[in-house]
Amino acid sequence: MASSPDVIVIGAGVLGLCTAAELAARGHAVTVIDPGSANASSIAAGMIAPALESLLEDVTAERAALLKRARDLWPDFAETHGLTLLREGADWRGPDSEAALVRLNALGFDARLTPIGLTTPEDWRIEVAAALKALARTPGLTVVRGQVVRLTGDARRWRVDANDGRVWFSPSVVLATGGPSPRLLRRSRRSAVS
């Protein structure tokens, strides 16, 4: 038997469930398909870390500003979906703390030296396990356990096949698998995801 939600999200990590919850909150029927095994999100620290990511990835000022704007969307999102946002900052204990401080300040981040490194109030976090459970309970969102083995499509819709024979159809698919499955993508007939 086939199901036809408005949107199919493949992957129930933080990005997949955040996307699905936001779409469901806007009135779309969303099905999330996930094998249910541990993923990077389920074992991650839940960091929303524009400052330390900017430092570690040596980003441009424009990219750092984008990361800050993305972080600034979290308070409304967390309130809408009943998530606890912890604004406790983060510590850097890497090499050359003084150079790291100069770099963060040049990118527009607040930070200060500590006896063991530096600290910044710019980075926040969520409790990942609790957040994933809360997001999965969003009205209009259905999470199903399944392993997607084929993703095909034409001009009208996508077809998603699971290894147990279940099939879903939708005009829109979001791949939120963390790292796309080469086997899944090789079988796709469309080059872009709607």
Side-chain angles (χ1 to χ4, degrees):
M1 183 169 137
S3 176
S4 299
D6 298 333
V7 181
I8 295 170
V9 176
I10 302 172
V14 169
L15 291 178
L17 285 175
C18 284
T19 301
E22 187 64 22
L23 289 167
R26 294 178 185 208
H28 299 282
V30 182
T31 296
V32 177
I33 306 168
D34 188 83
S37 55
N39 59 40
S41 295
S42 65
I43 58 173
M47 295 300 297
I48 302 164
L52 294 186
E53 284 183 31
S54 294
L55 182 62
L56 292 170
E57 296 176 15
D58 194 28
V59 302
T60 64
E62 293 78 19
R63 175 76 174 162
L66 175 66
L67 292 172
K68 279 177 107 172
R69 288 192 307 273
R71 182 230 27 224
D72 292 343
L73 296 172
W74 269 94
D76 287 342
F77 182 82
E79 184 177 338
T80 296
H81 296 285
L83 308 180
T84 301
L85 183 61
L86 304 168
R87 300 184 196 199
E88 49 200 26
D91 295 328
W92 165 262
R93 295 181 183 162
D96 202 356
S97 297
E98 290 183 14
L101 177 66
V102 169
R103 173 85 175 128
L104 285 175
N105 290 159
L107 291 172
F109 291 105
D110 180 21
R112 65 179 172 77
L113 290 174
T114 67
I116 57 172
L118 66 82
T119 189
T120 177
E122 302 271 4
D123 291 353
W124 307 336
R125 69 183 181 89
I126 58 169
E127 293 292 342
V128 177
L132 293 175
K133 286 179 185 174
L135 291 170
R137 291 190 302 265
T138 302
L141 188 157
T142 302
V143 178
V144 297
R145 296 293 173 225
Q147 179 68 46
V148 174
V149 294
R150 189 171 324 132
L151 175 62
T152 56
D154 58 29
R156 296 178 311 125
R157 65 185 183 172
W158 289 95
R159 176 183 169 133
V160 180
D161 291 86
N163 64 345
D164 61 5
R166 288 179 292 171
V167 177
W168 297 266
F169 293 96
S170 179
S172 300
V173 170
V174 176
L175 288 178
T177 58
S181 164
R183 186 174 78 186
L184 174 66
L185 293 179
R186 254 187 273 133
R187 292 182 180 178
S188 176
R189 292 186 196 151
R190 289 173 68 173
S191 60
V193 175
S194 298

